[in-house]
Amino acid sequence: MKNSIGNVPGLAVIMVGQGRDSQTYVRKKLGACEEAGIQSKISTLPDNCTEDQVLNALSCFHEDPSIHGILVQLPLPQHLDEGKILNSVQLEKDVDGFHPINMGNLAMWGREPLFLPCTPKGCIELLIRSGVEISGKKAVVIGRSNIVGLPTSLLLQRHHAIVSVVHAFTRNPEQITREADIVVAAAGVPNLVRGSWLKPGAVVLDVGTNPVKDPSCEYGHRLIGDVCYEEASRVASAITPVPGGVGPVTVAMLLLNTLESAKRAYNFT
């Protein structure tokens, strides 16, 4: 794109506060942009900023023709209306895929969202590139968040899987999960899924990133997933590690969405 038309995709990040996890995630995303040749900009706001300050930062990036994707790093401080802010992201620059219109189009057959949410899109990409058959297979998604669980279940249905969703009010979650050929764990509960939950040969995607105390680590904690890796790896035919599994693919999907947005903006094929 740079060689052909002299322009490159641009990604803007809005980060509120100085949360260590958010800083780490943003640093990885900006580093990936640099590696791929994508221009990046960041607007850092204090923890106690007002909603209007966040919306003003959004507005500046909306009006910037060099920016093709806008990412609001979550979670936001509790005093901010997360739904209102995400709804304010311009649809054409919603590379996170969280806008209600993108989500609504994902839920309806015959309609196509402008962008798919990055983590669910990455999960499907991992399955397809690993040669895992999805069509007609039983899939269980553990968790029903707007960011991962819900859109992942919708995407799996688009690929013709038979999908069950397990959540906090599900009775016999182990029994339901044990019937699945594909398990996506996105509950945010460390080591929730044990080896006994899995059908032999199941494929497991662990989306959980849970910090646990570990004095031997640089920051005093390490990340573990929602799946007990040691037990699950003895039962599953394939499993993603934490860290280093779904996370890097999610970042790659963010870059891909930004590239697709830029191609639309520049009418580049």
Side-chain angles (χ1 to χ4, degrees):
M1 182 181 280
K2 184 178 181 179
N3 291 339
S4 299
I5 61 173
N7 291 308
V8 296
L11 176 68
V13 178
I14 294 175
M15 188 171 77
V16 180
Q18 299 294 321
R20 186 183 293 156
D21 288 345
S22 289
Q23 285 182 319
T24 301
Y25 296 144
V26 167
R27 191 165 57 246
K28 286 180 179 176
K29 290 166 185 173
L30 298 183
C33 282
E34 186 177 355
E35 189 179 339
I38 290 175
Q39 174 194 0
S40 62
K41 295 181 180 179
I42 183 167
S43 176
T44 306
L45 298 169
D47 262 314
N48 60 352
C49 71
T50 64
E51 214 163 82
D52 282 344
Q53 286 176 289
V54 181
L55 295 175
N56 286 340
L58 266 178
S59 182
C60 289
F61 289 137
H62 286 157
E63 293 167 13
D64 186 341
S66 72
I67 294 298
H68 308 98
I70 300 171
L71 164 75
V72 180
Q73 183 62 41
L74 301 178
L76 292 170
Q78 288 189 342
H79 71 280
L80 299 175
D81 186 338
E82 188 173 286
K84 179 182 177 182
I85 288 167
L86 293 180
N87 292 357
S88 300
V89 177
Q90 202 172 74
L91 188 63
E92 292 77 15
K93 298 188 179 186
D94 173 40
V95 288
D96 251 341
F98 294 157
H99 194 285
I101 293 177
N102 273 323
M103 291 287 280
N105 284 333
L106 174 60
M108 299 175 72
W109 287 102
R111 298 205 182 182
E112 292 299 326
L114 270 180
F115 302 103
L116 293 173
C118 301
T119 299
K121 184 175 182 174
C123 287
I124 298 298
E125 192 78 14
L126 278 166
L127 292 172
I128 291 171
R129 291 197 181 212
S130 302
V132 176
E133 190 176 350
I134 305 174
S135 180
K137 297 297 182 180
K138 289 185 178 179
V140 165
V141 179
I142 303 173
R144 52 178 175 173
S145 71
N146 287 340
I147 294 172
V148 181
L150 173 62
T152 300
S153 66
L154 294 171
L155 260 181
L156 284 164
Q157 288 181 70
R158 282 194 170 223
H159 286 266
H160 312 299
I162 302 137
V163 182
S164 300
V165 177
V166 168
H167 51 77
F169 294 91
T170 303
R171 294 180 181 178
N172 303 319
E174 301 156 60
Q175 185 179 331
I176 294 168
T177 306
R178 208 176 292 123
E179 295 175 359
D181 303 298
I182 299 166
V183 176
V184 182
V189 180
N191 288 335
L192 172 68
V193 179
R194 316 296 299 201
S196 60
W197 285 42
L198 301 173
K199 170 183 174 180
V203 173
V204 180
L205 296 168
D206 190 352
V207 183
T209 50
N210 308 291
V212 294
K213 287 183 179 179
D214 187 342
S216 67
C217 293
E218 184 182 353
Y219 295 113
H221 73 272
R222 60 188 171 88
L223 291 179
I224 64 170
D226 288 357
V227 180
C228 183
Y229 185 86
E230 287 184 7
E231 293 179 11
S233 59
R234 292 195 287 266
V235 182
S237 62
I239 181 171
T240 59
V242 176
V246 174
V249 186
T250 295
V251 174
M253 295 302 103
L254 173 67
L255 303 190
L256 178 57
N257 281 352
T258 304
L259 171 61
E260 289 173 346
S261 179
K263 286 168 78 172
R264 270 195 290 267
Y266 294 130
N267 198 24
F268 181 83
T269 54

